[in-house]
Amino acid sequence: MRNRLPRAVCPAIVLLALFACRGVPPPANSAPQGSVSDSDLLDVTVANLHRLYDEKKYTVTQVVQWHLDRIDRYNGVYGAIETVFRKEALAEAARQDAMAQGTRGPLWGVPIVIKANTSIKDHITSAGWEGFTRKGHELVAPQDATVVAKFKAAGAIIVGHTNMPDLANSDTNRSSSFGRTGNAYDVRFSPGGSSGGTVTAVAANFAVLGNGTDTGNSIRMPAATSALVGVFPTRGLVSIAGIAPLDWLLDNTGPIARNATDAAIALGVMAGEDPLDPRTMGSPANAQRPPYAPQLKTDALKGKRFGVPAFVLAGDGIPFHGIPSTAPQPAFEKLRTAANMPLRPETREMFMKSVEALRAAGAEVIVDDGILPLTFAQLAARVSTYAYMQDGTNRFLATFGPAEYHSAADYLKAVGAPLFTSSIGTEDYFNNLGGVRIVQRVLDQDPDAERTYHAPRRAMLAAYLETMDRLKLDGYVYPAIQMPPPDETMPQDGRVSEGPHSATSWVNMIGVPAVVVPAGFYASGLPFGLEFSARPWTAGDLLSIAYAWEQATHLRKPPTLVEKGLIAVVRSAGRSR
């Protein structure tokens, strides 16, 4: 299906990386850039790109080729894109150039990237796992994921599938199907996971924007490491049909962009009902609907009241996938405190600077130990989802699997090996939580689902909203990550880096909207990200807050890329077709 581009490889592991290897030079048959100016296209916005098209300064083909040239030049160092869709992207660009003037979609001629767990028809959905790329057993998508179909209908041009950790099951970005992705601001450091490939690609100008997926922080945390805007929509605003799940009860997808306006445009494209995702059907009458870009206001922060969740500042833990309701209280509390994630002093300092900037912009920020305290973290920890992991995988494969397999059982029979452990709920740690044996079940048929999942989730959402009502809050604000991005050339806590880490997985549990915005830089030069969350179905208000923050602070600055980096940390510079 796809041919690998060769890449120089140095035989050493990442932790011992002390020297550099050159990435692969651009292919000999790459088209010349011609008169394209870097100053026009570096960090170009959707609006400015459309203006350039309208002025006939550039063709779509020139713009797509410029982005492909960036990939050729830098992807061998940064490892952001697993598969480059060179031929298809240029063919679509030529088709758009040949079109008569007329109605164009909101992302017409805009180069984008798609995360590798998101199905693109006739391409391998690797989801970062080598098991989906096994020769003769590849997971070739029979159709587009719903969001991919929407992007294409809006005129976007997909230049690549971005790298991600195996089935999104990591806070950093190393995959068995491709390798490691480095941070665009310093390749030695982590971009976070699991949307690390998308954030590095967008920050490095391999594309204008892209999609990420988020099961516990995986849009928001990587966006924070890379000075980008990352949107976690209200669950149900955007379809997740066609996205290989990690935990389908927590999964979501949303846009990642360099500014709030582009994120708003992209979210408007992605949003909408989809029969393949029942949670998108029947949104409330008061739901704020697209287009979102016209709803953005520069003064949206004035008079707003934000609360700071006390449990986030305290580092109180909420275990991923939750803890079964049948776990005894002593075991429950032991498991919950094991998930504690202290807020690093330098991150607290950056956050308090952001609080002052919010106040200077006219917002009121309330820091009080009674706002979502430890009891909220304890409540959240009871939302238990691990028993339904295989159910989500089977639902995905039933529609988006290849002809050879449409379930976990089919895969085992066809390949002779099981699916990735998280996909089928066979991870030893999660199978025995607090002395409770978790058996995989089908959510709709489980008599315990009300007690283990639905009721705790409702109680948690009620506590979230009650605090907003009582204190007349417009939202919450908190650090998107509990620490700076770690240096992956050095051990962290005595082992290979597994982070950075956040305290934001509670957002997934109740499905409320959240957005991360660039909020400055640490002394190291690495980005700090600030996160806001709000009431369900208020995407317009939330994006307006992000836009007003952006206009008040102007804290983002682009990275300076290098053509030499660490040793080669991906298997190739990127597969291409």
Side-chain angles (χ1 to χ4, degrees), residues 312-315 341-354 479 481-485 493 501 521-523 528:
V312 174
L313 296 189
M341 188 57 58
L343 184 65
R344 298 281 178 86
E346 61 268 44
T347 303
R348 184 183 295 271
E349 180 181 355
M350 292 295 295
F351 174 66
M352 295 313 297
K353 288 181 180 178
S354 297
I481 323 179
Q482 299 292 91
M483 61 193 67
D493 300 321
H501 304 296
F521 293 83
Y522 292 99
F528 166 76

Side-chain angles (χ1 to χ4, degrees), residues 105-383:
L107 292 176
W108 188 88
V110 177
I112 70 167
V113 287
I114 296 294
K115 190 172 175 180
N117 59 353
T118 307
S119 301
I120 302 175
K121 185 178 180 180
D122 296 330
H123 290 286
I124 297 173
T125 310
S126 76
W129 182 49
E130 61 184 354
F132 283 149
T133 67
R134 291 181 181 178
K135 189 174 179 60
H137 303 291
E138 296 93 342
L139 200 173
V140 178
Q143 64 187 78
D144 288 331
T146 300
V147 292
V148 169
K150 286 176 174 285
F151 276 130
K152 288 180 177 180
I157 298 177
I158 302 170
V159 298
H161 246 157
T162 55
N163 188 38
M164 58 178 285
D166 296 35
L167 274 299
N169 198 22
S170 176
D171 276 350
T172 190
N173 219 78
R174 291 186 292 267
S175 70
S176 63
S177 68
F178 186 61
R180 174 184 179 267
T181 300
N183 191 303
Y185 286 84
D186 189 327
V187 71
R188 298 171 299 172
F189 287 76
S190 173
S194 62
S195 301
T198 295
V199 298
T200 296
V202 173
N205 281 271
F206 295 173
V208 175
L209 55 87
N211 88 304
T213 64
D214 192 316
T215 312
N217 58 21
S218 291
I219 289 172
R220 297 161 291 141
M221 182 258 282
T225 73
S226 302
L228 297 174
V229 176
V231 181
F232 181 98
T234 300
R235 179 66 184 99
L237 178 65
V238 177
S239 172
I240 62 170
I243 297 174
L246 172 52
D247 183 332
W248 68 293
L249 295 178
L250 305 176
D251 291 341
N252 206 348
T253 186
I256 292 171
R258 292 187 289 261
N259 61 80
T261 303
D262 286 357
I265 294 169
L267 182 62
V269 167
M270 300 171 77
E273 294 187 346
D274 175 19
L276 293 176
D277 182 355
R279 288 185 68 173
T280 66
M281 305 301 290
S283 58
N286 64 348
Q288 294 176 359
R289 304 183 190 282
Y292 296 114
Q295 301 179 42
L296 305 182
K297 300 176 182 177
T298 56
D299 62 352
L301 287 173
K302 292 181 180 178
K304 292 292 191 297
R305 284 170 57 89
F306 299 104
V308 178
F311 81 94
V312 174
L313 296 189
D316 291 318
I318 300 174
F320 191 38
H321 306 299
I323 302 170
S325 58
T326 52
Q329 186 60 32
F332 166 85
E333 196 58 25
K334 182 178 180 180
L335 288 166
R336 193 200 60 75
T337 56
N340 285 355
M341 188 57 58
L343 184 65
R344 298 281 178 86
E346 61 268 44
T347 303
R348 184 183 295 271
E349 180 181 355
M350 292 295 295
F351 174 66
M352 295 313 297
K353 288 181 180 178
S354 297
V355 167
E356 292 308 311
L358 280 169
R359 290 169 173 161
E364 183 179 358
V365 182
I366 304 170
V367 182
D368 186 281
D369 289 344
I371 299 176
L372 301 188
L374 170 62
T375 53
F376 181 81
Q378 292 170 329
L379 193 63
R382 286 296 191 187
V383 181

